[in-house]
Amino acid sequence: MSDLDTTSRAVLAGSAYRDERHLAARQSLYRWQQPTYDLPGIVLDHLPTGGGGVVLDVGCGNGRYVTRIRAQRPDLTVVGLDISAGILAHVAPPVAVADAAALPVADRSAVAVLAMHMLYHVDDVDAALTESVRVLSPGGTLIASTNAREDKNELDDLWSAAAAEVLGVERGPRRVSLSSRFPLDDAPAMLRPYFADVEVVELVGAITVREPEPVIAHLASYRTWADTAGVPFDATLECARRLLDSVIDRDGEFRISCRSGLLFCHGPR
Ligand SMILES: C[S@@+](CC[C@H](N)C(=O)[O-])C[C@H]1O[C@@H](n2cnc3c(N)ncnc32)[C@H](O)[C@@H]1O
């Protein structure tokens, strides 16, 4: 798996995020997480108050944050931006097809920029951060989010065990790690050259399922990268389902540990 596969505009806009299907499958797994975290609510708590202004949601996907912020902060103009025209069809205007590294807005025009679970897809993260700094007003905030390296380890182990069984080898290949180019572990150091103050809020929890379907839907959402998985994708999915069934039969549940976080970046340099 090369970086190209997880950062290519053609792959992301044409397949992975052509519509909201795969993203929605990944989002819905969090229904079984404890504690639950209201990410849009946490973002709302950190947006500047009073005076309105423009908020750019870069890589807005199916508009989870856009919709909530518009509903609760009508004083703000929230613009959804994404490289996928298909996924933007799920979001009410104003929206525009745009790349994080070339934002179609004037210098110092936004009070906040959101980059939620998306910087790991950007080919040149530094170019995207330079763009955020350019478009933010002097008191503006970048809010980013991503997963830690150890996030959902058990899913990696499950996939790898299923792949091993399908291939008849001792250790199967790992599944694609989307956030590995901008993991929570490294994100503060990557952001500090661009912002005077970077605050990290870690979100730790566990997803517990008592039926395989939500986990299988999550694993299936990586189908875009099936050709690079080094293993027959559908056969591995079926095997993962069998392995999961046997864990749930034995233990009554399957548990996935989660570690992710938000980064609040002030003082654009
Ligand atoms: C994992 S989804 C996150 C969606 C949303 N921010 C959320 O957290 O629910 C990543 C989104 O970033 C978009 N994206 C990827 N690379 C991008 C880029 N270079 N510029 C703008 N959007 C991009 C994808 O099309 C996709 O909709």
Side-chain angles (χ1 to χ4, degrees):
M1 161 76 34
S2 76
D3 280 356
L4 192 64
D5 299 310
T6 54
T7 61
S8 149
R9 259 186 97 129
V11 170
L12 296 172
S15 173
Y17 302 108
R18 190 182 52 188
D19 54 39
E20 70 159 350
R21 197 163 45 108
H22 295 313
L23 178 59
R26 291 208 285 281
Q27 289 167 336
S28 65
L29 186 59
Y30 288 93
R31 255 187 270 153
W32 287 269
Q33 188 184 25
Q34 283 297 331
T36 52
Y37 293 108
D38 174 18
L39 269 77
I42 299 173
V43 167
L44 273 161
D45 288 344
H46 286 78
L47 290 175
T49 47
V54 171
V55 174
L56 302 175
D57 186 353
V58 181
C60 67
N62 53 1
R64 180 179 178 208
Y65 294 87
V66 171
T67 308
R68 197 53 195 283
I69 297 168
R70 284 179 185 159
Q72 290 188 231
R73 288 290 305 275
D75 60 310
L76 296 170
T77 301
V78 187
V79 182
L81 302 170
D82 203 285
I83 48 162
S84 167
I87 211 158
L88 284 177
H90 299 270
V91 190
V95 296
V97 175
D99 193 307
L103 298 174
V105 296
D107 295 0
R108 302 180 168 212
S109 56
V111 294
V113 171
L114 310 187
M116 309 305 289
H117 280 81
M118 66 78 60
L119 281 169
Y120 46 73
H121 280 311
V122 178
D123 180 35
D124 186 345
V125 177
D126 286 306
L129 295 176
T130 303
E131 263 306 75
S132 298
V133 169
R134 178 185 70 77
V135 303
L136 278 171
S137 56
T141 306
L142 170 72
I143 305 178
S145 64
T146 189
N147 299 327
R149 280 201 183 88
E150 69 186 59
D151 180 61
K152 299 196 276 300
N153 256 335
E154 296 84 352
L155 284 191
D156 299 325
D157 293 342
L158 173 67
W159 181 265
S160 173
E165 210 170 300
V166 167
L167 296 174
V169 296
E170 203 171 317
R171 280 173 72 100
R174 310 293 286 171
R175 73 188 176 126
V176 177
S177 168
L178 292 186
S179 42
S180 62
R181 297 179 66 263
F182 184 74
L184 187 64
D185 321 62
D186 299 346
M190 293 170 81
L191 291 162
R192 282 199 180 104
Y194 299 92
F195 293 91
D197 175 37
V198 176
E199 180 200 347
V200 183
V201 173
E202 285 206 27
L203 308 175
V204 176
I207 292 167
T208 306
V209 294
R210 293 183 177 80
E211 54 182 61
E213 206 41 55
V215 170
I216 297 303
H218 181 96
L219 293 174
S221 77
Y222 286 74
R223 180 173 295 282
T224 295
W225 297 283
D227 291 345
T228 52
V231 67
F233 192 78
D234 287 311
T236 306
L237 261 189
E238 267 322 297
C239 186
R241 184 191 296 276
R242 269 187 278 114
L243 295 175
L244 207 47
D245 273 335
S246 57
V247 173
I248 294 172
D249 279 350
R250 187 190 65 206
D251 301 341
E253 62 184 34
F254 180 72
R255 191 176 177 281
I256 304 161
S257 46
C258 304
R259 186 174 212 99
S260 62
L262 290 97
L263 301 117
F264 300 97
C265 312
H266 308 284
R269 295 186 198 273

